[in-house]
Amino acid sequence: MSSADEILDIVDENDVVVGRSPRGRAYAEGLRHRCVFVRARDAEGRIFVHRRTAQKLVFPSLYDMFVGGVVGAGETYDEAALREAEEELGVSGLPRPEFLFKFLYDGGVAGSWWSAVYEVRCDLPVRPQVEEVAWHAFLTQEELERQLPVWEWVPDGLAAYERLRGHRAAG
């Protein structure tokens, strides 16, 4: 099954399930669905940053400071966060990612999706999926900040990052 055929829950403005759709159709028609964003840090506190492959359905070849993806039909945000983090990092046995907050991302013509933001510590050696990750590194906060105006970032990840900064500042 291709990623475009994966079945997603379609949700309303209150994050209530109102139907199901294949991922490709949900993207093409801008149907509201659910996503998870997981900031992975190593034992030194550095942040996992990667560039997406050119084959990705959404935001190909752009940089991201989160791992994650869509929440499958019938799956919880927590289940998706752990599954996506382990898949994209290429590890198993991660601790359960810590839920931080949720927001409704508005991507304009691309649609909108409920976005749950998490954080996880990954002390394991990472082996990212070659289908998902073209390049990766663990960057310090300062290194990441220096690259923000330089690299082209996925817009939803950048929105999650800005909200995370606000969340941290608010305590």
Side-chain angles (χ1 to χ4, degrees), residues 120-140:
V120 70
R121 181 169 159 167
C122 179
D123 294 339
L124 305 165
V126 298
R127 294 176 301 281
Q129 288 182 317
V130 295
E131 304 83 21
E132 306 251 346
V133 176
W135 169 90
H136 73 279
F138 281 95
L139 302 182
T140 65

Side-chain angles (χ1 to χ4, degrees), residues 6-132:
E6 181 181 0
I7 303 299
L8 308 181
D9 285 332
I10 303 304
V11 296
D12 66 13
E13 65 279 358
N14 297 309
D15 198 17
V16 174
V17 176
V18 295
R20 289 192 168 165
S21 172
R23 182 178 184 170
R25 184 174 143 236
Y27 285 3
E29 296 178 16
L31 302 175
R32 189 176 295 120
H33 54 285
R34 294 172 170 160
C35 290
V36 292
F37 296 80
V38 183
R39 180 162 70 171
R41 291 181 174 270
D42 67 6
E44 296 175 35
R46 297 174 302 174
I47 302 161
F48 181 82
V49 176
H50 67 283
R51 187 171 56 82
R52 298 162 62 89
T53 60
Q55 295 76 32
K56 295 291 283 181
L57 284 176
V58 177
F59 311 132
S61 300
L62 300 187
Y63 287 88
D64 201 348
M65 69 281 290
F66 295 95
V67 295
V70 296
V71 178
E75 188 175 35
T76 67
Y77 284 108
D78 288 352
E79 291 166 341
L82 180 58
R83 175 183 55 76
E84 287 284 350
E86 288 187 336
E87 283 177 7
E88 283 196 36
L89 294 170
V91 301
S92 60
L94 277 179
R96 176 179 298 226
E98 175 191 356
F99 173 78
L100 301 175
F101 60 90
K102 186 171 76 167
F103 70 100
L104 180 59
Y105 173 75
D106 184 356
V109 295
S112 67
W113 42 92
W114 278 101
S115 306
V117 179
Y118 290 80
E119 189 165 62
V120 70
R121 181 169 159 167
C122 179
D123 294 339
L124 305 165
V126 298
R127 294 176 301 281
Q129 288 182 317
V130 295
E131 304 83 21
E132 306 251 346

